[in-house]
Amino acid sequence: MGARPADYVVLLAPPAVVAAACEVVLLSGEPEMFLPLIIVLQPLTVLGIVVGLVQLTRSTRGPSTFRLMLFRGEPAFAALPAFRRQCVFNGLLSAALLLMALNGLRVTGRIVPTMAWAILVLNGCTVLLLLFRMIRSGPLLLTPHGLAIDGGRTFVPWEALGPGPESSLWMIVRPELVEGRPIKRFQPGQDVPLDVSLWFLFRAIHSYVEQPSQRAAIGLPEELERLRGTLARQAT
């Protein structure tokens, strides 16, 4: 399970709308219409970028965002990928850069058009990289046998985890047990954003590191409710 379909719309719709509007102006044979187009669209995209940036700085939600899913035929707790805030910011930023670059291509000379082409190339590469990451992303799952990262590309057995240097922290103490894609540091959410607060996620994993007897109940609705209640009380 990768990014949600609406995430792709949020990312690609703003630059597509800007590109279509600029194409209409160019085909109409009235290049002076670029000025009202910029006056209307640029403030809107800048405002949207600010809103998206504010959203990125907000903490994600608590343990209620955990979901029940099947992994290798067994029930598990899943923290799903969450790209919406990144898509809002990057989609509107891409639209603003596209509008600026297309307008720059109309300037005579070499410097400004060259910079405009550089902006278009960098902007396109950034969007493609984000799309690639969204397509390949997967949930982080807590299973009775360990942690499946990014949908299972990396699997960390519980036996590979141990208490960390401080309370509520943990670390990989037996890296040779890790299956699949190797990882240097285990920081869930660092490469793929998750629809759950990392504080809650780390606390959830820590609780099963400390209490192995509770791992067998992972995947049961009753255990999920207990975990949610425990973490919510700790947060307050």
Side-chain angles (χ1 to χ4, degrees):
M1 178 183 294
R4 298 165 175 81
D7 293 341
Y8 297 100
V9 175
V10 172
L11 175 65
L12 299 177
V17 169
V18 168
C22 293
E23 186 69 18
V24 169
V25 170
L26 292 174
L27 292 178
S28 66
E30 299 179 0
E32 66 275 4
M33 289 299 297
F34 256 101
L35 180 59
L37 188 66
I38 292 176
I39 292 176
V40 173
L41 291 181
Q42 197 71 42
L44 292 177
T45 52
V46 171
L47 178 62
I49 292 170
V50 173
V51 173
L53 187 59
V54 171
Q55 289 290 324
L56 283 174
T57 59
R58 294 177 56 194
S59 61
T60 50
R61 296 175 292 168
S64 61
T65 53
F66 289 160
R67 296 288 183 269
L68 293 174
M69 290 184 60
L70 288 178
F71 178 72
R72 297 177 180 175
E74 295 184 351
F77 299 154
L80 304 181
F83 286 96
R84 183 64 50 85
R85 295 175 181 178
Q86 282 194 8
C87 288
V88 169
F89 177 77
N90 287 286
L92 292 169
L93 179 61
S94 175
L97 293 174
L98 184 63
L99 181 60
M100 180 176 64
L102 291 177
N103 189 51
L105 291 177
R106 300 171 52 246
V107 178
T108 58
R110 298 178 57 184
I111 297 179
V112 175
T114 301
M115 293 178 61
W117 277 113
I119 291 173
L120 289 175
V121 171
L122 291 175
N123 188 30
C125 291
T126 301
V127 173
L128 288 176
L129 287 174
L130 181 56
L131 284 173
F132 179 76
R133 196 175 84 167
M134 291 167 63
I135 293 171
R136 288 180 54 84
S137 67
L140 185 144
L141 301 108
L142 278 67
T143 78
H145 308 291
L147 308 176
I149 305 172
D150 204 8
R153 291 188 176 89
T154 301
F155 189 80
V156 183
W158 290 113
E159 293 75 15
L161 298 176
E166 302 177 16
S167 61
S168 80
L169 295 181
W170 39 265
M171 58 190 302
I172 294 182
V173 294
R174 299 184 63 186
E176 69 277 4
L177 297 180
V178 177
E179 305 171 10
R181 183 182 56 187
I183 51 177
K184 295 180 180 180
R185 294 185 303 169
F186 184 36
Q187 295 182 345
Q190 182 182 35
D191 296 326
V192 177
L194 299 172
D195 192 20
V196 63
S197 165
L198 288 186
W199 185 90
F200 284 106
L201 181 59
F202 272 78
R203 287 298 305 172
I205 296 174
H206 176 72
S207 66
Y208 292 117
V209 170
E210 279 194 326
Q211 304 177 39
S213 59
Q214 293 181 346
R215 299 171 189 170
I218 293 177
L220 299 177
E222 298 81 5
E223 174 64 12
L224 181 56
E225 290 302 317
R226 185 201 67 80
L227 181 64
R228 287 171 174 170
T230 301
L231 297 182
R233 286 193 297 273
Q234 290 176 355
T236 57

